[in-house]
Amino acid sequence: QKEVEQNSGPLSVPEGAIASLNCTYSDRVSQSFFWYRQYSGKSPELIMSIYSNGDKEDGRFTAQLNKASQYVSLLIRDSQPSDSATYLCAVWGPYNTNAGKSTFGDGTTLTVKP
Amino acid sequence: GAVVSQHPSRVICKSGTSVKIECRSLDFQATTMFWYRQFPKKSLMLMATSNEGSKATYEQGVEKDKFLINHASLTLSTLTVTSAHPEDSSFYICSARVRIAGGLFTDTQYFGPGTRLTVL
């Protein structure tokens, strides 16, 4: 079992729809969770971080975390063609130690069709 | 967010030469930086963790004598690909760890723009 798992996709949604991206992780002591967006040929760009159970909203993006289920998701409302990219889920651990590092999922490719 | 730069953005070299890639944190001090490589349409692969003033920690399977990492200051880490070969051609990306204090420390990671290495 991979430490961080994502559906590889591709996920295709029409413009204006809600895109839902999912991620599960295996290490129960993980404390910090991130979503990155990566356009083709570019490096990852941080779009959301979440540390506590529940929802966190930032503009059209909402991250949801459920530590009991070891599940984190990203919702993109009013999807735009410019949202077409690969979305990487990252889990940071162990908490607050110099040995900490991120484990990345393989990414979900999202295509928003006009 | 924090800004991380990388130089060069693109390099083409002949087989057998060495290539140095610089990673800088521009508006903050980074005690920890990470080096990744990524092949086309593949996921990020962590190569090593670079800590200021100490030896880098390499991931399993990464040759430390081939990929030399130096983190001489709080704002600069370098990766040198020694005796590069065509199979080393890849997208190399650095990132810097930022610790945000807000009651509890939280760690966030910001990426540089990447360096595309092509070895002929």
Side-chain angles (χ1 to χ4, degrees):
Chain A
Q1 181 189 7
K2 289 184 179 179
E3 293 181 54
V4 178
E5 294 211 46
Q6 297 180 250
N7 292 330
S8 60
L11 174 66
S12 181
V13 300
E15 183 174 357
I18 296 175
S20 178
L21 305 164
N22 304 314
C23 174
T24 58
Y25 60 95
S26 61
D27 190 346
R28 286 191 171 274
V29 300
S30 300
Q31 297 288 335
S32 307
F33 307 87
F34 308 91
W35 284 99
Y36 290 85
R37 176 176 62 198
Q38 186 174 24
Y39 292 113
S40 181
K42 302 294 185 182
S43 67
E45 171 192 11
L46 179 67
I47 54 173
M48 288 288 284
S49 59
I50 187 166
Y51 308 101
S52 304
N53 279 327
D55 294 359
K56 179 181 177 182
E57 188 174 316
D58 183 1
R60 295 187 296 112
F61 298 98
T62 299
Q64 299 174 318
L65 175 61
N66 184 325
K67 290 185 179 180
S69 300
Q70 296 175 238
Y71 174 90
V72 58
S73 66
L74 179 70
L75 299 177
I76 307 174
R77 291 182 300 281
D78 188 24
S79 296
Q80 301 296 309
S82 59
D83 295 325
S84 298
T86 297
Y87 289 80
L88 302 172
C89 171
V91 176
W92 184 281
Y95 172 68
N96 199 27
T97 70
N98 289 330
K101 59 184 178 183
S102 287
T103 300
F104 284 83
D106 289 342
T108 298
T109 300
L110 171 67
T111 301
V112 181
K113 295 188 175 181
Chain B
V3 179
V4 178
S5 71
Q6 256 184 269
H7 178 81
S9 60
R10 184 179 297 268
V11 59
I12 300 173
C13 68
K14 292 182 179 180
S15 184
T17 60
S18 294
V19 175
K20 180 185 281 189
I21 303 170
E22 292 186 348
C23 178
R24 293 181 185 273
S25 56
L26 296 186
D27 51 0
F28 65 100
Q29 294 181 331
T31 54
T32 304
M33 291 183 173
F34 303 92
W35 287 96
Y36 295 83
R37 67 188 295 183
Q38 188 176 37
F39 293 105
K41 299 189 185 301
K42 298 293 184 183
S43 60
L44 288 170
M45 187 193 85
L46 178 65
M47 300 174 66
T49 302
S50 169
N51 293 300
E52 186 268 338
S54 64
K55 290 183 179 180
T57 302
Y58 290 83
E59 295 298 303
Q60 191 173 9
V62 178
E63 299 176 60
K64 60 182 179 181
D65 293 332
K66 181 168 185 61
F67 299 100
L68 300 178
I69 292 172
N70 185 278
H71 195 154
S73 77
L74 288 172
T75 60
L76 174 64
S77 176
T78 60
L79 167 68
T80 301
V81 183
T82 62
S83 186
H85 291 284
E87 58 265 30
D88 298 321
S89 298
S90 188
F91 191 40
Y92 291 87
I93 315 172
C94 73
S95 71
R97 174 190 189 182
V98 176
R99 313 204 82 183
I100 303 171
L104 290 174
F105 284 104
T106 56
D107 296 274
T108 305
Q109 189 175 359
Y110 292 92
F111 285 88
T115 297
R116 192 162 302 282
L117 171 64
T118 302
V119 185
L120 302 176

